[in-house]
Amino acid sequence: LSASLAASTAFAGFPKILSSADSNNASKPNILVFVFDAMSAVHLSLYGYTRKTTPNLEKFAERATVYHQHYSAANFTSPGTASMLTGMYPWTHRAFTYRGMVERPLANRNLFNLMGNEYTRVAFTQNLWADILLSQFGRDLDFHLRCDSYSTGDFSLLQPDDLPGDRAMAYYVFQDFLGLRSLEPHPFPGSVLIGSTELAKSLTTNWDKISAEYPRGLPTVYDFSYENETVLEGIGRLIQNSVSQSSPYLGYFHLWSPHGPYNARKEFIGIFHDDLKPPSKPRHPLAGDDFSEEQMGASHLQYDELIAELDAEFGRVLADLEASGVLQNS
């Protein structure tokens, strides 16, 4: 509730920003970009997967262009997201390390700058590494939501969003210097006081968030927990009530799910009754983990259940946007 109130307060001045868009451009189409982090095509029934994981995406695909020969430019957040947002390969934009950033002279070559001031440009991601990139493109954004918007609780003492003047630098300070990464504590935090306070909060935080509704615990981005229903409802309200006040607009919404941990809501646990087994693969000699086939099968099942939950929530958002008329020119 507090997160929702905070988001509502933040958007109290949003219409002023929106009103700056050129009303003469209302005939241009609005653009909504949804990114589902770590969603694999081979697990989507839309692409022929045997488990019915994405009935709502299949329904949407009936009137959409569906790509069957699409490849990611990289295999983790920083270079993959940077390539999506800049149209450049990793060896050009240079954001190819963990928590990497686009080479500064190229930072203005991004999607939001391309659309220009004619569009009201809004961005939100739950992925803190992707948020570093959005921070780089901040001068081309009209509104940049906090990563923990619509979340249920923060695990860390401070978030990069707490210093909005330079969120990218705040991330590096909080996560790499002050030792505020609770799951991977820094052995020598830059501040004994802040590091100790963070540790105390970590020890008193209910990390699991297990409940009858979430038997495996809430989905988490490690820095905060959330519910996909709440997040997507919030995005839907934002599009209908705030963003739609001005056209044209560009909205970029980058969700963490179905990235692990695969903590689906109870109604999606156990929905697949089959003996599907993932194909066996030889263990790579440099792999850090050694999972048994039983563990891999369990992870595949939990992953599919989370995709099914996300698909259901996304279907509700699409239905609401359709009913409100937002999709007529989007």
Side-chain angles (χ1 to χ4, degrees), residues 191-203:
S191 168
V192 174
L193 174 62
I194 297 179
S196 300
T197 307
E198 170 74 8
L199 178 60
K201 178 172 183 178
S202 174
L203 294 174

Side-chain angles (χ1 to χ4, degrees), residues 262-293:
Y262 310 134
N263 296 340
R265 205 164 62 238
K266 69 173 183 179
E267 65 188 88
F268 294 94
I269 296 177
I271 62 174
F272 300 116
H273 305 283
D274 54 48
D275 56 356
L276 181 66
K277 295 181 180 179
S280 299
K281 297 180 181 180
R283 182 178 182 273
H284 194 282
L286 299 180
D289 299 308
D290 187 12
F291 297 110
S292 67
E293 290 192 17

